[in-house]
């Protein structure tokens, strides 16, 4: 990702506040509605209504939540399932390092803002050229997504309880389908596509032989494996940097 420098608000030419709010609302609403799929998936995995809602309120990172309930539904050990969810959520810590510089929030506010450091808020914030735009984009995206995600999680869990066996309706596939729909547009380079393909092969290939929850952990090795292979190829070609289209 290209590093962005936030210019001072005074005299800066950024987007109008209304445009930033519009973009942030678009992202927050579009992604927030997928909380319904999580609520259905979680309830279908055997979690109670309270447990499902607590995950969205306290964890609030969709990929980790889906990974956790998916592993539990497959009969995985709770500790293994939690470990997989944890490793997926680690990326948010790196987002926080960058956002802390861009947002420059008061120290007392930072612990509360940390709850909203996720893929979507980071993407909207980094797209803004001024600190004011960054703060507006981050706040509106985070607030919209947090409220809507938790509301739709509740509705999804209540709906799953009402219809009974979610597997009979095919709703157990809702979580993976939403996750793939969010992930696919992000795979723009050869390296990203190769990493995703290798992760799928590792995950599906090891599914019959490893306990539930472990295949997703092993699949995470796809990233360093592809980067290592790319480095070896570039060294062999005598290149020091990758072509622009593969970055």
């Amino acid at each position: 990702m290209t590093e962005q420098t936030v210019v001072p608000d005074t005299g800066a030419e950024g987007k109008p506040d209304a445009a930033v709010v519009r973009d942030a609302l678009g992202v927050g609403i579009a992604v927030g509605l997928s909380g319904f799929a999580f609520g259905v998936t979680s309830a279908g995995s055997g979690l109670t209504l309270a447990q499902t809602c607590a995950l969205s309120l306290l964890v609030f990172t969709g990929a980790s939540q889906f990974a956790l309930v998916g592993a539990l539904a497959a009969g995985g050990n709770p500790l293994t399932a939690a470990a997989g969810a944890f490793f997926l959520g680690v990326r948010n810590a790196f987002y926080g390092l960058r956002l802390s510089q861009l947002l420059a929030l008061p120290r007392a506010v930072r612990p509360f803002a940390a709850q909203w450091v996720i893929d979507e808020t980071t993407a909207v914030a980094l797209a803004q050229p001024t600190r004011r735009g960054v703060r507006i984009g981050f706040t509106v995206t985070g607030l919209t997504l947090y409220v809507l995600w938790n509301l739709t999680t509740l509705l999804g869990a209540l709906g799953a309880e009402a219809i009974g066996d979610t597997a009979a309706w095919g709703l157990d596939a809702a979580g993976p389908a939403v996750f793939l729909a969010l992930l696919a547009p992000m795979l723009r380079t050869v390296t990203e596509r190769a990493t995703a393909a290798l992760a799928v092969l590792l995950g599906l290939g090891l599914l019959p032989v490893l306990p539930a929850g472990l295949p997703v952990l092993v699949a995470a090795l796809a990233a360093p494996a592809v980067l290592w292979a790319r480095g070896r190829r570039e060294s062999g070609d005598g290149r020091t940097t990758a072509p622009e289209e593969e970055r």
Side-chain angles (χ1 to χ4, degrees):
M1 181 182 295
T2 303
E3 188 173 11
Q4 178 191 22
T5 301
V6 175
V7 298
D9 285 326
T10 304
E13 294 184 2
K15 289 182 181 178
D17 291 352
V20 179
V21 171
R22 181 195 62 219
D23 294 344
L25 285 174
V27 172
I29 292 173
V31 179
L33 292 175
S34 61
F36 184 84
F38 171 72
V40 170
T41 304
S42 181
S45 301
L47 273 68
T48 66
L49 177 64
Q51 290 170 332
T52 297
C53 292
L55 276 175
S56 283
L57 285 167
L58 302 177
V59 178
F60 187 54
T61 171
S64 296
Q65 292 177 230
F66 278 118
L68 176 62
V69 299
L72 292 176
N77 182 285
L79 292 179
T80 303
F86 171 79
F87 283 115
L88 280 174
V90 164
R91 70 191 187 283
N92 294 336
F94 295 98
Y95 296 160
L97 292 175
R98 182 59 180 144
L99 286 177
S100 66
Q101 299 173 353
L102 301 180
L103 292 167
L105 297 172
R107 190 176 299 273
V109 178
R110 292 176 189 174
F112 301 98
Q115 177 71 352
W116 290 353
V117 176
I118 54 176
D119 297 329
E120 293 77 17
T121 55
T122 301
V124 174
L126 290 179
Q128 312 309 320
T130 66
R131 174 160 288 129
R132 177 179 174 83
V134 169
R135 288 176 172 175
I136 293 174
F138 177 84
T139 302
V140 175
T141 305
L143 178 61
T144 304
L145 186 48
Y146 189 76
V147 172
L148 194 53
W149 178 270
N150 281 281
L151 177 60
T152 54
T153 292
L154 173 62
L155 294 176
L158 289 173
E161 289 185 351
I163 65 175
D165 184 9
T166 56
W169 293 77
L171 295 179
D172 53 328
V178 170
F179 185 68
L180 288 175
L182 294 174
L183 177 64
M186 301 179 186
L187 304 177
R188 298 187 179 93
T189 68
V190 174
T191 300
E192 290 169 351
R193 293 183 187 121
T195 302
L198 181 56
V200 169
L201 290 175
L202 287 173
L204 293 180
L206 296 174
L207 195 60
V209 297
L210 291 180
L214 285 182
V216 69
L217 297 180
V218 178
L221 297 176
V226 170
L227 291 176
W228 176 82
R230 175 181 166 181
R232 294 273 298 189
R233 185 190 65 190
E234 292 173 359
S235 298
D237 293 343
R239 292 183 295 175
T240 56
T241 58
E244 184 66 27
E245 66 270 17
E246 288 199 20
R247 289 182 183 171

